Coordinates of all heavy atoms in Angstrom, one line a residue:
M290 N 267.7 -31.5 41.9 CA 267.2 -32.5 42.8 C 266.0 -33.1 42.1 O 265.1 -32.4 41.7 CB 266.8 -31.9 44.1 CG 266.0 -32.8 45.0 SD 265.7 -32.2 46.7 CE 264.6 -30.8 46.3
P291 N 265.9 -34.4 41.9 CA 264.8 -35.1 41.2 C 263.6 -35.0 42.1 O 263.7 -35.1 43.3 CB 265.3 -36.5 40.9 CG 266.3 -36.7 42.0 CD 266.9 -35.4 42.3
D292 N 262.4 -35.0 41.4 CA 261.1 -35.1 42.1 C 261.0 -36.5 42.6 O 261.4 -37.5 42.0 CB 260.0 -34.7 41.2 CG 259.9 -33.2 41.0 OD1 260.4 -32.4 41.8 OD2 259.4 -32.8 39.9
L293 N 260.3 -36.6 43.8 CA 260.0 -37.9 44.3 C 258.8 -38.5 43.6 O 257.8 -37.8 43.2 CB 259.7 -37.8 45.8 CG 260.8 -37.3 46.7 CD1 260.4 -37.2 48.2 CD2 262.0 -38.2 46.6
T294 N 258.8 -39.8 43.5 CA 257.6 -40.5 43.0 C 256.5 -40.6 44.1 O 256.9 -40.4 45.3 CB 257.9 -42.0 42.5 OG1 258.3 -42.7 43.7 CG2 259.0 -41.9 41.4
E295 N 255.4 -41.0 43.8 CA 254.3 -41.1 44.8 C 254.7 -42.1 45.8 O 254.5 -42.0 47.0 CB 253.0 -41.5 44.2 CG 252.3 -40.4 43.5 CD 251.8 -39.3 44.5 OE1 251.4 -39.6 45.6 OE2 252.0 -38.1 44.2
E296 N 255.3 -43.2 45.4 CA 255.8 -44.3 46.3 C 256.9 -43.8 47.3 O 256.9 -44.1 48.4 CB 256.3 -45.5 45.5 CG 255.2 -46.3 44.7 CD 254.9 -45.6 43.4 OE1 255.7 -44.8 42.9 OE2 253.8 -45.9 42.9
E297 N 257.8 -43.0 46.7 CA 258.9 -42.4 47.5 C 258.3 -41.4 48.5 O 258.7 -41.4 49.7 CB 259.9 -41.7 46.7 CG 260.7 -42.7 45.8 CD 261.6 -42.1 44.8 OE1 261.2 -41.0 44.3 OE2 262.7 -42.6 44.5
Y298 N 257.3 -40.6 48.1 CA 256.7 -39.6 49.0 C 256.0 -40.4 50.1 O 256.1 -40.0 51.3 CB 255.7 -38.8 48.3 CG 256.1 -37.4 47.8 CD1 256.2 -37.1 46.5 CD2 256.6 -36.5 48.7 CE1 256.7 -35.9 46.0 CE2 257.1 -35.3 48.3 CZ 257.1 -35.0 47.0 OH 257.6 -33.8 46.6
D299 N 255.3 -41.5 49.7 CA 254.5 -42.3 50.7 C 255.5 -42.9 51.8 O 255.2 -42.9 53.0 CB 253.7 -43.3 50.1 CG 252.5 -42.8 49.3 OD1 252.1 -41.6 49.6 OD2 252.0 -43.5 48.4
A300 N 256.6 -43.4 51.2 CA 257.6 -44.0 52.1 C 258.2 -43.0 53.1 O 258.4 -43.3 54.3 CB 258.7 -44.7 51.3
L301 N 258.6 -41.8 52.5 CA 259.2 -40.8 53.3 C 258.2 -40.3 54.4 O 258.5 -40.1 55.5 CB 259.6 -39.7 52.4 CG 260.4 -38.6 53.2 CD1 261.7 -39.1 53.9 CD2 260.8 -37.5 52.1
D302 N 256.9 -40.1 53.9 CA 255.9 -39.7 54.8 C 255.7 -40.6 56.0 O 255.6 -40.3 57.2 CB 254.5 -39.5 54.1 CG 253.4 -39.0 55.0 OD1 253.6 -37.9 55.6 OD2 252.4 -39.7 55.1
E303 N 255.6 -41.9 55.6 CA 255.5 -42.9 56.7 C 256.7 -42.9 57.6 O 256.5 -43.1 58.8 CB 255.3 -44.3 56.0 CG 255.0 -45.4 57.1 CD 254.7 -46.7 56.4 OE1 254.3 -46.8 55.2 OE2 254.9 -47.8 57.1
L304 N 257.9 -42.8 57.1 CA 259.1 -42.7 57.9 C 259.0 -41.6 58.9 O 259.2 -41.8 60.1 CB 260.3 -42.6 57.0 CG 261.6 -42.3 57.8 CD1 262.1 -43.6 58.5 CD2 262.7 -41.9 56.8
W305 N 258.7 -40.4 58.4 CA 258.7 -39.3 59.3 C 257.5 -39.3 60.3 O 257.5 -38.7 61.4 CB 258.7 -37.9 58.6 CG 260.1 -37.7 58.1 CD1 260.6 -37.9 56.8 CD2 261.2 -37.2 58.8 NE1 261.9 -37.6 56.7 CE2 262.3 -37.2 58.0 CE3 261.3 -36.8 60.1 CZ2 263.5 -36.7 58.4 CZ3 262.6 -36.4 60.5 CH2 263.6 -36.4 59.7
T306 N 256.3 -39.9 59.8 CA 255.2 -40.0 60.7 C 255.4 -40.9 61.9 O 255.1 -40.7 63.0 CB 254.0 -40.5 59.9 OG1 253.7 -39.5 58.9 CG2 252.7 -40.6 60.8
N307 N 256.1 -42.1 61.5 CA 256.4 -43.0 62.5 C 257.6 -42.8 63.4 O 257.8 -43.3 64.4 CB 256.5 -44.4 61.9 CG 255.2 -44.9 61.3 OD1 254.1 -44.6 61.8 ND2 255.3 -45.6 60.3
N308 N 258.5 -41.9 62.9 CA 259.7 -41.6 63.5 C 260.0 -40.0 63.5 O 260.9 -39.6 62.9 CB 260.9 -42.2 62.9 CG 260.7 -43.7 62.9 OD1 260.8 -44.4 63.9 ND2 260.5 -44.3 61.6
P309 N 259.1 -39.2 64.1 CA 259.2 -37.8 64.1 C 260.5 -37.3 64.8 O 261.0 -38.0 65.7 CB 258.0 -37.3 64.8 CG 257.6 -38.4 65.7 CD 258.0 -39.6 65.0
P310 N 261.1 -36.2 64.3 CA 262.3 -35.7 64.9 C 261.9 -35.3 66.4 O 260.9 -34.8 66.6 CB 262.7 -34.5 64.1 CG 261.9 -34.6 62.8 CD 260.7 -35.5 63.1
R311 N 262.9 -35.6 67.3 CA 262.7 -35.2 68.7 C 263.1 -33.8 69.0 O 264.3 -33.5 68.7 CB 263.4 -36.2 69.6 CG 262.7 -37.6 69.5 CD 263.4 -38.6 70.4 NE 264.1 -38.0 71.5 CZ 265.0 -38.6 72.3 NH1 265.3 -39.8 72.0 NH2 265.6 -38.0 73.3
V312 N 262.3 -33.0 69.5 CA 262.6 -31.7 70.0 C 262.1 -31.5 71.3 O 260.9 -31.8 71.6 CB 262.1 -30.6 69.0 CG1 262.4 -29.2 69.6 CG2 262.5 -30.8 67.6
S313 N 262.9 -31.2 72.3 CA 262.5 -31.1 73.7 C 262.9 -29.7 74.2 O 263.7 -29.0 73.5 CB 263.1 -32.2 74.5 OG 264.5 -32.0 74.7
G314 N 262.5 -29.4 75.4 CA 262.8 -28.2 76.0 C 264.1 -28.2 76.9 O 264.3 -27.4 77.7
D315 N 264.8 -29.4 76.8 CA 265.9 -29.6 77.6 C 267.2 -28.8 77.2 O 268.2 -28.8 77.9 CB 266.3 -31.1 77.8 CG 266.8 -31.7 76.5 OD1 266.9 -31.0 75.5 OD2 266.9 -33.0 76.5
G316 N 267.1 -28.2 76.0 CA 268.3 -27.4 75.6 C 269.4 -28.2 74.9 O 270.4 -27.7 74.6
K317 N 269.2 -29.5 74.9 CA 270.2 -30.4 74.3 C 269.8 -31.1 73.0 O 270.6 -31.4 72.2 CB 270.5 -31.5 75.3 CG 271.1 -30.8 76.6 CD 271.4 -31.9 77.6 CE 271.8 -31.3 79.0 NZ 272.0 -32.3 80.0
S318 N 268.5 -31.3 72.8 CA 268.1 -32.0 71.6 C 267.3 -31.2 70.7 O 266.6 -30.2 71.2 CB 267.3 -33.3 72.0 OG 266.2 -33.0 72.7
G319 N 267.2 -31.5 69.5 CA 266.5 -30.7 68.5 C 267.3 -29.5 68.0 O 268.0 -28.8 68.7
F320 N 267.2 -29.3 66.7 CA 268.0 -28.2 66.0 C 267.8 -26.9 66.7 O 268.8 -26.2 67.0 CB 267.6 -28.2 64.5 CG 268.4 -27.1 63.8 CD1 269.7 -27.3 63.3 CD2 267.9 -25.9 63.6 CE1 270.4 -26.4 62.7 CE2 268.6 -24.8 63.0 CZ 269.9 -25.1 62.5
F321 N 266.6 -26.5 66.9 CA 266.4 -25.1 67.4 C 266.8 -25.0 68.9 O 267.1 -23.9 69.4 CB 264.9 -24.7 67.2 CG 264.6 -24.4 65.7 CD1 263.9 -25.4 65.0 CD2 265.2 -23.4 65.0 CE1 263.6 -25.2 63.7 CE2 264.9 -23.2 63.7 CZ 264.2 -24.1 63.0
M322 N 266.8 -26.1 69.6 CA 267.3 -26.0 70.9 C 268.8 -25.8 71.0 O 269.3 -25.1 71.7 CB 266.9 -27.3 71.7 CG 265.4 -27.5 71.9 SD 264.8 -26.1 72.9 CE 263.5 -25.5 71.8
Q323 N 269.5 -26.5 70.0 CA 270.9 -26.4 70.0 C 271.4 -25.1 69.4 O 272.5 -24.6 69.7 CB 271.5 -27.6 69.2 CG 271.3 -28.9 69.9 CD 271.7 -30.0 69.0 OE1 272.3 -29.9 67.9 NE2 271.5 -31.3 69.5
H324 N 270.7 -24.5 68.5 CA 271.1 -23.4 67.8 C 270.1 -22.2 67.9 O 269.8 -21.5 67.0 CB 271.2 -23.7 66.3 CG 272.2 -24.9 66.0 ND1 273.5 -24.7 66.1 CD2 271.9 -26.2 65.8 CE1 274.1 -25.9 65.8 NE2 273.1 -26.8 65.7
R325 N 269.6 -22.0 69.1 CA 268.5 -21.0 69.3 C 269.0 -19.6 69.0 O 268.1 -18.7 68.8 CB 267.9 -21.2 70.6 CG 268.9 -20.9 71.8 CD 268.2 -21.0 73.1 NE 269.1 -21.3 74.1 CZ 269.1 -22.4 74.9 NH1 268.2 -23.2 74.8 NH2 270.1 -22.6 75.7
N326 N 270.3 -19.3 69.0 CA 270.7 -18.0 68.7 C 271.1 -17.8 67.2 O 271.5 -16.7 66.8 CB 271.9 -17.7 69.6 CG 271.5 -17.6 71.0 OD1 270.4 -17.2 71.4 ND2 272.4 -18.0 71.9
E327 N 270.9 -18.8 66.4 CA 271.3 -18.8 65.0 C 270.1 -18.2 64.2 O 269.0 -18.5 64.4 CB 271.6 -20.2 64.5 CG 272.0 -20.1 63.1 CD 272.5 -21.6 62.6 OE1 273.0 -22.3 63.4 OE2 272.3 -21.8 61.4
I328 N 270.5 -17.3 63.3 CA 269.5 -16.7 62.4 C 269.9 -17.0 61.0 O 271.1 -16.8 60.7 CB 269.4 -15.1 62.6 CG1 268.9 -14.8 64.1 CG2 268.5 -14.5 61.6 CD1 269.0 -13.3 64.4
V329 N 269.0 -17.5 60.2 CA 269.3 -17.8 58.8 C 268.8 -16.6 58.0 O 267.7 -16.2 58.1 CB 268.5 -19.1 58.4 CG1 268.7 -19.3 56.9 CG2 269.0 -20.2 59.3
I330 N 269.7 -16.1 57.1 CA 269.3 -15.0 56.3 C 269.3 -15.5 54.8 O 270.3 -16.1 54.4 CB 270.4 -13.9 56.4 CG1 270.4 -13.4 57.9 CG2 270.1 -12.7 55.5 CD1 271.5 -12.4 58.2
L331 N 268.2 -15.2 54.2 CA 268.1 -15.6 52.8 C 268.2 -14.4 51.8 O 268.0 -13.3 52.2 CB 266.7 -16.2 52.5 CG 266.3 -17.4 53.4 CD1 264.8 -17.7 53.2 CD2 267.2 -18.6 53.1
D332 N 268.7 -14.7 50.6 CA 268.7 -13.7 49.6 C 267.2 -13.4 49.2 O 266.3 -14.1 49.5 CB 269.5 -14.1 48.4 CG 269.0 -15.4 47.8 OD1 268.0 -15.3 46.9 OD2 269.5 -16.5 48.1
D333 N 267.1 -12.2 48.5 CA 265.7 -11.8 48.1 C 265.0 -12.8 47.3 O 263.8 -13.0 47.5 CB 265.8 -10.4 47.4 CG 266.2 -9.3 48.3 OD1 266.0 -9.5 49.5 OD2 266.7 -8.3 47.8
L334 N 265.6 -13.4 46.3 CA 265.0 -14.4 45.4 C 264.5 -15.6 46.2 O 263.3 -16.0 46.0 CB 266.0 -14.8 44.4 CG 265.4 -15.9 43.4 CD1 264.2 -15.3 42.6 CD2 266.5 -16.4 42.4
S335 N 265.3 -16.1 47.1 CA 264.9 -17.3 47.9 C 263.8 -17.0 48.8 O 262.8 -17.7 48.9 CB 266.1 -17.8 48.7 OG 267.1 -18.2 47.9
S336 N 263.8 -15.8 49.4 CA 262.8 -15.3 50.3 C 261.4 -15.2 49.6 O 260.4 -15.6 50.1 CB 263.2 -14.0 51.0 OG 262.2 -13.6 51.9
A337 N 261.5 -14.5 48.4 CA 260.3 -14.3 47.6 C 259.7 -15.6 47.2 O 258.5 -15.8 47.2 CB 260.6 -13.4 46.5
W338 N 260.5 -16.6 46.7 CA 260.1 -17.8 46.3 C 259.4 -18.6 47.4 O 258.3 -19.2 47.2 CB 261.3 -18.7 45.7 CG 260.8 -20.0 45.2 CD1 260.3 -20.3 44.0 CD2 260.8 -21.3 46.0 NE1 260.0 -21.6 43.9 CE2 260.3 -22.3 45.1 CE3 261.2 -21.6 47.2 CZ2 260.2 -23.6 45.4 CZ3 261.1 -22.9 47.6 CH2 260.6 -23.9 46.7
L339 N 260.0 -18.6 48.6 CA 259.4 -19.3 49.7 C 258.0 -18.7 50.1 O 257.1 -19.4 50.4 CB 260.3 -19.2 51.0 CG 261.5 -20.2 51.0 CD1 262.4 -19.9 52.2 CD2 260.9 -21.6 51.2
R340 N 258.0 -17.3 50.1 CA 256.7 -16.7 50.4 C 255.6 -17.0 49.4 O 254.5 -17.4 49.7 CB 256.9 -15.2 50.6 CG 257.4 -14.8 51.9 CD 257.3 -13.2 52.1 NE 257.8 -12.4 51.0 CZ 259.1 -12.1 50.9 NH1 260.0 -12.4 51.8 NH2 259.5 -11.3 49.8
T341 N 256.0 -17.0 48.1 CA 255.0 -17.3 47.1 C 254.6 -18.7 47.1 O 253.4 -19.0 47.0 CB 255.7 -17.0 45.7 OG1 256.0 -15.6 45.7 CG2 254.7 -17.2 44.6
K342 N 255.5 -19.6 47.3 CA 255.1 -21.0 47.4 C 254.2 -21.3 48.6 O 253.3 -22.0 48.4 CB 256.4 -21.9 47.4 CG 256.1 -23.4 47.3 CD 257.4 -24.1 47.0 CE 257.2 -25.6 47.0 NZ 256.4 -26.1 45.9
A343 N 254.6 -20.7 49.7 CA 253.7 -20.9 50.9 C 252.3 -20.4 50.7 O 251.3 -21.1 51.1 CB 254.4 -20.3 52.1
E344 N 252.2 -19.2 50.1 CA 250.9 -18.6 49.8 C 250.1 -19.5 48.9 O 248.9 -19.7 49.1 CB 251.0 -17.2 49.3 CG 251.5 -16.2 50.3 CD 251.8 -14.8 49.8 OE1 251.5 -14.6 48.6 OE2 252.4 -14.0 50.5
T345 N 250.8 -19.9 47.8 CA 250.1 -20.7 46.8 C 249.6 -22.1 47.3 O 248.5 -22.5 47.0 CB 251.1 -21.0 45.6 OG1 251.5 -19.7 45.1 CG2 250.4 -21.8 44.5
E346 N 250.4 -22.7 48.2 CA 250.1 -24.0 48.7 C 249.3 -23.9 50.1 O 249.1 -25.0 50.7 CB 251.4 -24.8 48.9 CG 252.0 -25.1 47.6 CD 253.2 -26.0 47.6 OE1 253.5 -26.5 48.7 OE2 253.9 -26.2 46.6
H347 N 249.1 -22.7 50.5 CA 248.4 -22.5 51.8 C 249.1 -23.2 52.9 O 248.5 -24.0 53.7 CB 246.9 -22.9 51.7 CG 246.1 -22.3 50.5 ND1 245.8 -20.9 50.6 CD2 245.7 -22.8 49.4 CE1 245.2 -20.6 49.4 NE2 245.2 -21.7 48.7
T348 N 250.3 -22.9 53.1 CA 251.1 -23.6 54.1 C 252.1 -22.5 54.6 O 251.9 -21.3 54.4 CB 251.9 -24.8 53.5 OG1 252.6 -25.5 54.5 CG2 252.9 -24.4 52.4
T349 N 253.1 -22.9 55.4 CA 254.1 -21.9 55.9 C 255.5 -22.1 55.3 O 255.7 -23.2 54.7 CB 254.2 -22.1 57.4 OG1 254.8 -23.4 57.7 CG2 252.9 -22.0 58.1
T350 N 256.2 -21.1 55.4 CA 257.6 -21.2 54.9 C 258.4 -22.3 55.6 O 259.2 -23.0 55.0 CB 258.4 -19.9 55.0 OG1 258.3 -19.4 56.3 CG2 257.8 -18.9 54.0
T351 N 258.1 -22.5 56.9 CA 258.8 -23.5 57.7 C 258.5 -24.9 57.1 O 259.3 -25.8 57.0 CB 258.4 -23.5 59.2 OG1 258.8 -22.2 59.7 CG2 259.0 -24.5 60.0
E352 N 257.2 -25.1 56.7 CA 256.8 -26.4 56.2 C 257.4 -26.6 54.8 O 257.9 -27.8 54.5 CB 255.3 -26.5 56.1 CG 254.6 -26.6 57.4 CD 253.1 -26.5 57.4 OE1 252.6 -25.6 56.7 OE2 252.5 -27.3 58.0
I353 N 257.6 -25.6 54.0 CA 258.3 -25.7 52.7 C 259.7 -26.1 52.9 O 260.3 -27.0 52.3 CB 258.2 -24.3 51.9 CG1 256.7 -23.9 51.7 CG2 259.0 -24.4 50.6 CD1 256.0 -24.7 50.8
I354 N 260.4 -25.4 53.8 CA 261.8 -25.7 54.1 C 262.0 -27.1 54.6 O 262.8 -27.9 54.2 CB 262.4 -24.7 55.1 CG1 262.5 -23.3 54.4 CG2 263.8 -25.1 55.6 CD1 262.8 -22.2 55.4
S355 N 261.1 -27.5 55.5 CA 261.1 -28.9 56.1 C 261.0 -29.9 55.0 O 261.7 -31.0 54.9 CB 260.0 -29.1 57.1 OG 260.3 -28.3 58.2
E356 N 260.0 -29.7 54.0 CA 259.9 -30.6 52.9 C 261.1 -30.7 52.0 O 261.5 -31.8 51.6 CB 258.7 -30.1 52.1 CG 258.4 -31.0 50.9 CD 257.2 -30.5 50.1 OE1 256.4 -29.8 50.6 OE2 257.2 -30.9 48.9
L357 N 261.7 -29.5 51.8 CA 262.9 -29.5 51.0 C 264.1 -30.3 51.6 O 264.8 -31.1 51.0 CB 263.4 -28.1 50.7 CG 262.4 -27.3 49.8 CD1 262.9 -25.8 49.8 CD2 262.5 -27.8 48.4
V358 N 264.2 -30.1 52.9 CA 265.3 -30.8 53.7 C 265.0 -32.3 53.6 O 265.9 -33.1 53.4 CB 265.3 -30.3 55.1 CG1 266.2 -31.2 56.0 CG2 265.8 -28.8 55.2
R359 N 263.7 -32.7 53.9 CA 263.4 -34.1 53.8 C 263.7 -34.8 52.5 O 264.1 -35.9 52.4 CB 262.0 -34.4 54.3 CG 261.8 -34.1 55.8 CD 260.4 -34.4 56.2 NE 260.2 -34.3 57.6 CZ 259.9 -33.2 58.3 NH1 259.7 -32.1 57.7 NH2 259.9 -33.1 59.6
K360 N 263.4 -34.0 51.4 CA 263.7 -34.5 50.0 C 265.2 -34.7 49.9 O 265.6 -35.8 49.3 CB 263.2 -33.5 49.0 CG 261.7 -33.6 48.7 CD 261.4 -32.6 47.6 CE 259.9 -32.5 47.3 NZ 259.6 -31.5 46.3
E361 N 266.0 -33.8 50.3 CA 267.4 -33.9 50.2 C 267.9 -35.1 51.0 O 268.8 -35.8 50.6 CB 268.1 -32.6 50.7 CG 268.1 -31.5 49.7 CD 268.9 -31.8 48.5 OE1 270.1 -32.3 48.6 OE2 268.4 -31.5 47.4
M362 N 267.4 -35.3 52.2 CA 267.8 -36.4 53.1 C 267.4 -37.7 52.4 O 268.2 -38.6 52.4 CB 267.1 -36.2 54.5 CG 267.7 -35.1 55.3 SD 266.7 -34.9 56.8 CE 267.0 -36.4 57.7
F363 N 266.2 -37.8 51.9 CA 265.8 -39.0 51.3 C 266.6 -39.3 50.0 O 267.0 -40.5 49.8 CB 264.3 -38.9 50.9 CG 263.7 -40.2 50.4 CD1 263.3 -41.2 51.2 CD2 263.5 -40.4 49.0 CE1 262.8 -42.4 50.7 CE2 263.0 -41.6 48.5 CZ 262.6 -42.6 49.4
A364 N 266.9 -38.3 49.3 CA 267.8 -38.5 48.1 C 269.1 -39.0 48.5 O 269.7 -39.9 47.8 CB 267.8 -37.2 47.3
H365 N 269.7 -38.4 49.5 CA 271.0 -38.9 50.0 C 271.0 -40.3 50.5 O 271.9 -41.1 50.1 CB 271.5 -37.9 51.1 CG 272.8 -38.3 51.7 ND1 274.0 -38.1 50.9 CD2 273.2 -38.9 52.8 CE1 275.0 -38.6 51.6 NE2 274.5 -39.1 52.8
V366 N 269.9 -40.7 51.2 CA 269.9 -42.1 51.8 C 269.7 -43.1 50.6 O 270.3 -44.1 50.6 CB 268.7 -42.1 52.8 CG1 268.4 -43.6 53.2 CG2 269.1 -41.3 54.0
T367 N 268.8 -42.7 49.7 CA 268.5 -43.7 48.6 C 269.6 -43.8 47.5 O 269.7 -44.7 46.8 CB 267.2 -43.3 47.9 OG1 267.3 -42.0 47.3 CG2 266.0 -43.5 48.8
S368 N 270.5 -42.8 47.5 CA 271.6 -42.8 46.5 C 272.9 -43.5 47.1 O 273.8 -43.8 46.4 CB 272.0 -41.4 46.1 OG 272.6 -40.7 47.1
A369 N 272.9 -43.7 48.4 CA 274.0 -44.4 49.1 C 274.1 -45.9 48.9 O 273.2 -46.5 48.5 CB 274.0 -44.0 50.6

């Protein structure tokens, strides 16, 4: 996956800031509402990398995963 340029990061940040994903408590919208019984299991290498990256960047593993997903989504949208 190629790294994003500053302009691409800014555009993606603006997109997600102005159009945040909707998650509600109605049990119908939002990933975790639809899949609340799903557990994601990572291999040791992936888990260690996430923990190390989160500690280094003073963030959470959830934020790291969200950033990776958004990069993939942006790459898919811009390559279409």
Side-chain angles (χ1 to χ4, degrees):
M290 173 176 62
D292 287 334
L293 298 176
T294 65
E295 282 297 318
E296 292 80 19
E297 291 170 329
Y298 265 118
D299 290 341
L301 188 58
D302 180 58
E303 184 174 335
L304 173 70
W305 284 101
T306 299
N307 295 329
N308 303 290
R311 290 179 25 194
V312 178
S313 71
D315 65 4
K317 297 177 183 173
S318 61
F320 179 83
F321 291 107
M322 293 299 125
Q323 293 174 3
H324 303 283
R325 63 178 153 239
N326 294 326
E327 183 174 328
I328 297 173
V329 176
I330 300 172
L331 301 173
D332 59 84
D333 290 340
L334 178 64
S335 299
S336 180
W338 181 83
L339 280 170
R340 280 194 307 274
T341 301
K342 186 165 177 68
E344 289 172 8
T345 302
E346 296 183 5
H347 305 289
T348 187
T349 66
T350 54
T351 299
E352 290 171 314
I353 301 290
I354 293 168
S355 294
E356 180 182 338
L357 293 170
V358 169
R359 286 181 176 93
K360 281 182 184 179
E361 283 290 318
M362 291 171 64
F363 187 79
H365 178 72
V366 169
T367 58
S368 68

